[in-house]
Amino acid sequence: GNVAGMSASSTLADSWEAKIQRNGIGQEIERVLTGGVSSQQSYHSSGMPATQTIRSGLRKTRQCSYHWDANSR
């Protein structure tokens, strides 16, 4: 199966967690991290990455778009 989350800690104050959501074919579409950082991805119909948006809380900190040619480059 696919990983849906992970966590680690050495002490309660140093703990962190990641929650991962996937689409119907198993591609990661969202990752939410401790502290309010999140990453959302979308994909072209070919399965290649189309967009990625990084947020800190409600503030968008980065947005990328990907374009692929016939040779997936």
Side-chain angles (χ1 to χ4, degrees):
N2 293 318
V3 174
M6 60 190 95
S7 63
S9 66
S10 58
T11 66
L12 187 57
D14 291 333
S15 65
W16 62 269
E17 183 177 48
K19 295 179 181 176
I20 301 169
Q21 292 185 355
R22 299 181 182 276
N23 63 15
I25 60 172
Q27 295 168 311
E28 184 175 317
I29 57 172
E30 183 174 43
R31 182 179 295 210
V32 180
L33 307 171
T34 302
V37 175
S38 65
S39 172
Q40 293 86 31
Q41 291 78 231
S42 68
Y43 299 88
H44 293 286
S45 59
S46 65
M48 300 297 284
T51 64
Q52 180 183 37
T53 303
I54 309 294
R55 296 182 190 281
S56 179
L58 297 176
R59 185 174 59 97
K60 187 185 302 182
T61 60
R62 181 171 191 226
Q63 185 165 359
C64 298
S65 295
Y66 302 95
H67 302 280
W68 304 92
D69 67 15
N71 293 320
S72 298
R73 297 178 185 231

